[in-house]
């Protein structure tokens, strides 16, 4: 491959993917990102010195911008991360989720379809469109079993409904137009560069600041957790060797209830920051009213990607969470800038 377009490459998973890709592949990367509140150019700024890195400030909902991206960069692959992803925000304002996740994905698929038609020979055969999705499209599990690639969709929130719709569009473009689309559905990610509205970074920063640690309901909602670098390596495996038209579940083989996650973070912060005046951090735990439509349990069956592509997660939860807590403790300035919006005001004017 000569170059790839990564949408949402300034977001949490996208940033980690771009960094990992440039460390392991001899390929140019074009990051296409609107830079909303959760897309932080600061996370990519140091990559400017790499000649293989290009930033393209654009909205995936903008048809002309999408067409220009394909025309200008002539990619051999698109890795589509760009999405609104926070369930609570989708409950408060679902329209943005429909626009970005459904309409934005449609515009990208249309752009890719028309571009793919211009290709021939090996270029046409090797082109790939990777649509990155979530386990939340499958709904909620009982106390046993795991989601497989054939589990019926049963989204329970505006966020998961919008992602389910985008998944269906991606599959339709494979079957109708023979666009070489591949889908991935992943479990909960954690790691560096995650916006501090999600559980793990929120708890870490609240521990540092002595703020309440909010736990929905009884804290026993279970998620399958995967370190973001493992997710990125799985997507690379799908891009290189996956079969178009197929979907691949990606999980960390690590089911944990939310309350256990929070208590483990508390212990790690207490260990790494023993002089906090408000410690121990567990004293900050506060149970709050459960959110509407809160799925009880998710868990992913990785058998297909393990068998077909030889991928398995390599970073255990204890190691990954310790690395994550340490990263946030060492990058408080990054956290302050992203939560204040300073990075947006400073960077947007230079990236138009």
């Amino acid at each position: 491959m000569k170059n790839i377009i990564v949408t949402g490459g300034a977001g949490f998973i996208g940033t980690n993917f771009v960094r990992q890709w440039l460390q392991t592949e001899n390929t140019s990367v074009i990051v296409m990102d609107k830079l909303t509140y959760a897309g932080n150019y600061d996370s990519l700024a140091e990559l400017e010195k790499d000649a293989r890195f290009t930033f393209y400030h654009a909205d995936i909902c903008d048809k002309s911008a999408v067409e220009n991206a394909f025309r200008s960069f002539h990619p051999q692959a698109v890795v589509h991360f760009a999405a609104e992803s926070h369930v609570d925000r989708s409950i408060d304002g679902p329209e943005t989720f429909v626009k970005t996740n459904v309409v934005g994905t449609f515009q990208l698929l249309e752009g890719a379809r028309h571009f793919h038609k211009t290709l021939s020979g090996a270029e046409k055969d090797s082109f790939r469109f990777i649509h990155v999705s979530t386990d939340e499209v499958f709904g909620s599990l009982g106390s046993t079993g795991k989601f497989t690639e054939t589990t019926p969709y049963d989204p329970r929130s505006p966020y998961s409904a919008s992602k389910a719709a985008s998944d269906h569009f991606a599959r339709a473009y494979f079957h109708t137009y023979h666009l070489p689309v591949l889908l991935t559905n992943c479990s909960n990610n954690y790691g560096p560069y995650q916006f501090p509205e999600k559980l793990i970074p929120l708890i870490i920063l609240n521990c540092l600041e002595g703020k309440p640690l909010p736990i929905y309901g009884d804290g026993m909602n279970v998620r399958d957790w995967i370190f973001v670098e493992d997710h990125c390596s799985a997507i690379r495996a799908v891009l290189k060797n996956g079969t178009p038209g197929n979907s691949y579940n990606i999980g960390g083989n690590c089911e944990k209830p939310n309350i256990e996650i929070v208590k483990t973070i508390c212990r790690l912060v207490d260990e790494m920051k023993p002089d906090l005046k408000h410690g121990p951090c567990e004293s900050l735990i506060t149970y709050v009213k459960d959110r509407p439509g809160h799925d009880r349990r998710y868990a992913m069956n990785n058998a297909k990607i393990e068998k077909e592509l030889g991928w398995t997660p390599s970073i255990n939860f204890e190691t990954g969470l310790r690395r994550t807590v340490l990263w946030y403790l060492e990058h408080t300035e990054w956290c302050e800038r992203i939560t204040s919006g300073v990075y947006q005001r400073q960077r947007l004017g230079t990236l138009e």
Side-chain angles (χ1 to χ4, degrees), residues 309-347:
L309 305 183
W311 177 89
T312 56
S314 62
I315 300 170
N316 65 49
F317 184 74
E318 291 72 20
T319 300
L321 189 60
R322 178 173 287 274
R323 283 176 56 182
T324 301
V325 172
L326 183 61
W327 188 89
Y328 280 94
L329 296 185
E330 293 179 344
H331 292 81
T332 54
E333 182 178 346
W334 179 90
C335 297
E336 290 169 0
R337 285 170 61 79
I338 191 171
T339 53
S340 70
V342 168
Y343 76 94
Q344 288 183 308
R345 292 191 294 273
Q346 291 186 355
R347 301 298 306 192

Side-chain angles (χ1 to χ4, degrees), residues 140-157:
S140 184
L141 283 168
S143 59
T144 60
K146 294 186 177 183
F147 298 131
T148 70
E149 287 79 2
T150 59
T151 299
Y153 276 30
D154 186 22
R156 306 292 187 89
S157 70

Side-chain angles (χ1 to χ4, degrees), residues 5 7 30 32 56-75 78 103-118 127 129 173:
I5 288 177
T7 71
I30 299 93
M32 181 176 180
Y56 178 55
H57 181 214
D59 184 350
I60 60 171
C61 295
D62 184 338
K63 179 181 178 180
S64 61
V66 170
E67 291 174 345
N68 182 60
F70 283 101
R71 183 171 55 250
S72 300
F73 301 116
H74 204 83
V78 175
V103 177
T105 298
F106 163 74
Q107 293 293 2
L108 281 170
L109 288 166
E110 274 288 272
R113 175 171 76 91
H114 292 296
F115 172 71
H116 188 241
K117 286 164 59 177
T118 69
F127 182 81
F129 187 108
Y173 270 64

Side-chain angles (χ1 to χ4, degrees), residues 151-201:
T151 299
Y153 276 30
D154 186 22
R156 306 292 187 89
S157 70
Y159 160 61
S160 57
S162 68
K163 288 299 290 184
S166 68
D167 289 8
H168 291 318
F169 268 102
R171 286 193 177 90
Y173 270 64
F174 170 76
H175 290 290
T176 303
Y177 303 113
H178 307 293
L179 184 68
V181 174
L182 301 97
L183 283 80
T184 62
N185 295 84
C186 190
S187 59
N188 278 36
N189 281 232
Y190 69 98
Y193 300 104
Q194 189 171 28
F195 189 78
E197 67 184 355
K198 297 299 181 75
L199 177 66
I200 288 178

Side-chain angles (χ1 to χ4, degrees), residues 31-53:
V31 170
M32 181 176 180
D33 203 297
K34 184 181 178 182
L35 292 181
T36 61
Y37 75 94
N40 185 356
Y41 190 81
D42 280 4
S43 304
L44 300 169
E46 67 188 69
L47 301 179
E48 289 177 342
K49 59 189 176 184
D50 192 324
R52 297 171 298 158
F53 171 78

Side-chain angles (χ1 to χ4, degrees), residues 10 13 30 100 115 117 163 167 224 239 258 262 285 288 319:
I13 304 174
I30 299 93
T100 300
F115 172 71
K117 286 164 59 177
K163 288 299 290 184
D167 289 8
D224 176 11
L239 178 57
N258 288 343
V262 173
I285 292 176
V288 299
T319 300

Side-chain angles (χ1 to χ4, degrees), residues 1 4-7 13-14 16-18 20-21 25 77-81 128-133 182-186 189 226-242 248-250 305 309 311:
M1 291 186 178
I4 64 172
I5 288 177
V6 178
T7 71
I13 304 174
N16 281 278
F17 180 84
V18 169
Q20 186 179 102
W21 186 271
E25 310 291 339
V78 175
V79 184
H80 176 34
F81 291 104
R128 295 291 184 268
F129 187 108
I130 308 296
H131 176 66
V132 181
S133 190
L182 301 97
L183 283 80
T184 62
N185 295 84
C186 190
N189 281 232
I226 184 171
F227 192 61
V228 64
E229 291 179 10
D230 274 337
H231 183 192
C232 294
S233 70
I235 293 171
R236 287 170 48 225
V238 171
L239 178 57
K240 290 182 178 181
N241 298 309
Y248 296 89
N249 280 1
I250 301 169
I305 194 171
L309 305 183
W311 177 89

